[in-house]
Amino acid sequence: MSARHAIVVGSGLAGLSAASQLLSHRVPVILLERAAKPGGNSIKASSGINGAPTSYQPVAEPLDAFYLDTVRSAGLAMKTLTAHREQLIDTLTEHSASAIHWLVQDKGVDLSKVAQLGGHSYARTHRGKGQAPPGFAIVSALLKNLKENPLLELRTSCSVTKVLQSSQRVTGVEYECEDGQKKELHGPVIFASGGFGGDAHGLLAQYRPDLNGYPSTNDPRPGTQPILTAAGAKLIDMDQVQVHPTGFVDLASPDTPLKFLAAEVLRGEGGILLIDGERFVNELDTREHVTNAITSRPATSDSPKQWTVQVVLDEATYNAAKSHVDFYIFKGLMKKTTIAELGPNAQETIERYANAVNETLKDPFGRTSFANWALKDPKLDSVVYVGIVTPVVHFTMGGVLINQKAEVLQDDQKHIEGLWGAGEVTGGVHGGNRLGGSSLLECVVFGRIAGNQVAEFLKETS
Ligand code: FAD
Ligand code: SIN
């Protein structure tokens, strides 16, 4: 491999997008991945990737709607570093349509089905029509494409342990593979090593001790931000951790701390949430809001910390999310049943929801998008699909601060030469609450920007 290669750390969607972009400039890439298999958390993504405007959206949206939704969702965090955050959000949303275009046109991924997730004012979360979940479809397409290119070298089971520097400039990384030998690689570095939602006893305990005992959708793994702070990187929003309202409680092993995610798309396609047979929230409000509406009530278990919430779909909603629900039924996480089995009050509750859908009554929780729900006259023997869910640690909004060029910053202005960052390892773009579908988007947008920047850097310094 040529000495003019680039180093990418992490083979989730951010790393794969960066590597793809570098290869499009004919820059050789060494991709280092700590796990035995590539794909990171990205391969598990279940609801889709945001983009607007696209031809797949059922309703055309005003140009700034996605930007404004993201700012609103970021909340109070926008009060600090306001201009910087606005620039990052602008970059994210401005490049969202081209991110979808790139995946569809250049990489052959089907993203033709669109749903409206929580906190979004328009349907803009894209997934495919087939059986493959969006994370798997996107990651597999990029990996296949990359592996066909002789300029890519993927080294799995190799963990980066240190960023190498000379006169404050990043010159490469130290890493260790299965033989336990420390080795060095030299070249510009893109860090795409993901979040710390799985680092329960490390960074999560340090920054959010109050979340101790919550289950998670993230496999246990240490966060990598300390490797970057050791090289001078500035951290932002490390205490901003997203608790997703709906992780499945598997009744066969209800106490396992690692939960399978009940994709937000279940609610996006029309599904509702019930506690003791009653709705209690606009299911399409932001995750932060929906989670708070659950966790403000007494937990039903302390270890792990869990609540008992039902996610309920009617037949039409099931059909819209069929590939998801069939898989959850196969895994024993959902079942087909009748309203009678949901418990007391459920029939009346569903009747009120049906009235809101039919526009005979305003929804008391302010929900305005009901997507595919079609059950108009719920009876005790009406068919529904149900699973038990509970809030789960899902995503870390905080991380190393980057700028619009994906350069890792040491303070608000100055970047660290030779070091770029993309994806969940970075912070600032989502503020206090990430919108569903915007993580895959940030991986593609900032991963590609980082790839372009490093290609440019190599051209200038050769
Ligand atoms: P990852 O995909 O996590 O990849 C990081 C990689 O870096 C990992 O493979 C890791 O092993 C490797 N790594 C870490 N440290 C090192 C090291 N020191 N050396 C070498 N390698 C290292 N987001 C959406 O937008 N839409 C969705 O539908 C969606 N669904 C989700 C469903 C689930 C169950 C989960 C858990 C998350 C979901 N998300 C979704 C969030 C999203 O998938 C992730 O935030 C995003 O994929 C992160 O991508 P990434 O490339 O930054 O990190
Ligand atoms: C989900 O499918 O609910 C996860 C989507 C996301 O995290 O963006």
Side-chain angles (χ1 to χ4, degrees):
M1 183 77 56
S2 133
R4 302 303 295 167
H5 55 231
I7 301 163
V8 177
V9 183
S11 67
L13 183 55
L16 298 179
S17 301
S20 301
Q21 206 60 25
L22 283 158
L23 293 182
S24 76
H25 295 284
R26 302 187 187 286
V27 173
V29 177
I30 299 182
L31 179 51
L32 297 171
E33 168 53 54
R34 179 168 59 189
K37 283 190 182 164
N41 269 339
S42 305
I43 206 160
K44 302 205 274 185
S46 46
S47 282
I49 177 167
N50 296 333
T54 75
S55 56
Y56 303 118
Q57 290 182 273
V59 177
E61 59 177 275
L63 271 183
D64 59 351
F66 187 17
Y67 172 87
L68 293 174
D69 282 352
T70 306
V71 169
R72 196 176 311 119
S73 170
L76 289 177
M78 292 303 294
K79 288 192 184 298
T80 60
L81 272 185
T82 309
H84 191 94
R85 291 179 193 272
E86 284 173 351
Q87 284 171 357
L88 291 177
I89 295 174
D90 193 50
T91 305
L92 180 84
T93 52
E94 273 279 311
H95 288 76
S96 67
S98 59
I100 301 289
H101 187 266
W102 182 69
L103 289 170
V104 173
Q105 298 300 329
D106 287 21
K107 305 298 167 195
V109 185
D110 171 23
L111 291 174
S112 55
K113 202 164 177 184
V114 184
Q116 182 171 345
L117 300 189
H120 291 272
S121 53
Y122 289 85
R124 54 170 84 99
T125 307
H126 295 63
R127 68 187 198 274
K129 287 208 166 77
Q131 293 291 319
F136 181 83
I138 295 170
V139 165
S140 323
L142 292 193
L143 262 176
K144 181 171 178 292
N145 203 262
L146 287 170
K147 284 179 175 169
E148 284 164 0
N149 194 319
L151 293 179
L152 177 91
E153 194 182 315
L154 170 62
R155 299 186 192 167
T156 50
S157 304
C158 290
S159 192
V160 169
T161 46
K162 196 172 165 186
V163 171
L164 302 173
Q165 281 172 300
S166 162
S167 320
Q168 303 231 314
R169 181 175 163 209
V170 168
T171 55
V173 293
E174 176 193 83
Y175 71 105
E176 192 180 307
C177 301
E178 278 171 312
D179 60 8
Q181 301 286 321
K182 295 253 192 246
K183 299 182 194 102
E184 290 188 356
L185 257 183
H186 294 276
V189 180
I190 299 174
F191 245 80
S193 48
F196 58 91
D199 195 3
H201 303 295
L203 292 177
L204 204 54
Q206 181 184 343
Y207 288 99
R208 287 298 301 272
D210 58 305
L211 294 178
N212 180 29
Y214 272 72
S216 177
T217 56
N218 287 214
D219 290 295
R221 70 178 194 201
T224 46
Q225 282 81 4
I227 300 177
L228 295 168
T229 49
K234 179 183 163 80
L235 295 177
I236 185 171
D237 295 342
M238 289 294 279
D239 58 345
Q240 301 296 323
V241 174
Q242 181 161 75
V243 180
H244 191 296
T246 64
F248 278 117
V249 177
D250 183 348
L251 295 179
S253 55
D255 297 339
T256 41
L258 179 62
K259 301 286 189 218
F260 214 89
L261 188 72
E264 190 167 327
V265 83
L266 299 184
R267 286 173 280 137
E269 295 291 13
I272 55 174
L273 298 177
L274 304 181
I275 294 181
D276 296 332
E278 303 279 359
R279 283 181 67 225
F280 54 94
V281 72
N282 168 3
E283 293 85 355
L284 288 188
D285 208 324
T286 59
R287 288 180 184 171
E288 186 182 21
H289 188 84
V290 178
T291 294
N292 287 345
I294 299 171
T295 56
S296 59
R297 293 159 183 254
T300 41
S301 144
D302 274 333
S303 180
K305 206 161 177 101
Q306 284 180 179
W307 286 257
T308 303
V309 184
Q310 289 171 316
V311 58
V312 179
L313 280 65
D314 73 338
E315 196 78 55
T317 307
Y318 157 73
N319 278 319
K322 189 172 180 333
S323 58
H324 284 79
V325 181
D326 284 350
F327 183 63
Y328 300 148
I329 291 175
F330 166 74
K331 301 273 295 174
L333 300 168
M334 287 190 84
K335 64 179 181 183
K336 181 177 181 178
T337 183
T338 60
I339 289 180
E341 298 297 315
L342 297 180
N345 309 329
Q347 186 192 5
E348 294 81 358
T349 299
I350 292 177
E351 204 165 272
R352 283 194 292 275
Y353 182 63
N355 285 337
V357 177
N358 300 335
E359 293 181 344
T360 45
L361 277 179
K362 199 165 170 276
D363 181 53
F365 302 100
R367 184 164 174 168
T368 52
S369 163
F370 307 98
N372 300 283
W373 187 281
L375 182 57
K376 285 192 161 64
D377 185 17
K379 301 272 187 285
L380 283 173
D381 62 356
S382 301
V383 166
V384 286
Y385 296 77
V386 64
I388 305 294
V389 293
T390 187
V392 270
V393 169
H394 180 61
F395 181 85
T396 49
M397 271 79 68
V400 295
L401 186 63
I402 55 167
N403 61 17
Q404 286 175 291
K405 294 181 183 170
E407 292 165 321
V408 175
L409 301 183
Q410 60 185 46
D411 57 41
D412 300 355
Q413 310 291 332
K414 200 165 178 311
H415 74 272
I416 302 173
E417 205 181 325
L419 185 62
W420 287 260
E424 200 177 340
V425 71
T426 69
V429 70
H430 308 293
N433 179 74
R434 175 176 66 80
L435 289 172
S438 277
S439 176
L440 293 184
L441 176 62
E442 82 169 313
C443 290
V444 174
V445 168
F446 288 100
R448 292 186 70 207
I449 290 174
N452 286 338
Q453 291 292 320
V454 171
E456 190 64 26
F457 172 85
L458 282 169
K459 210 158 79 188
E460 282 168 7
T461 53
S462 63

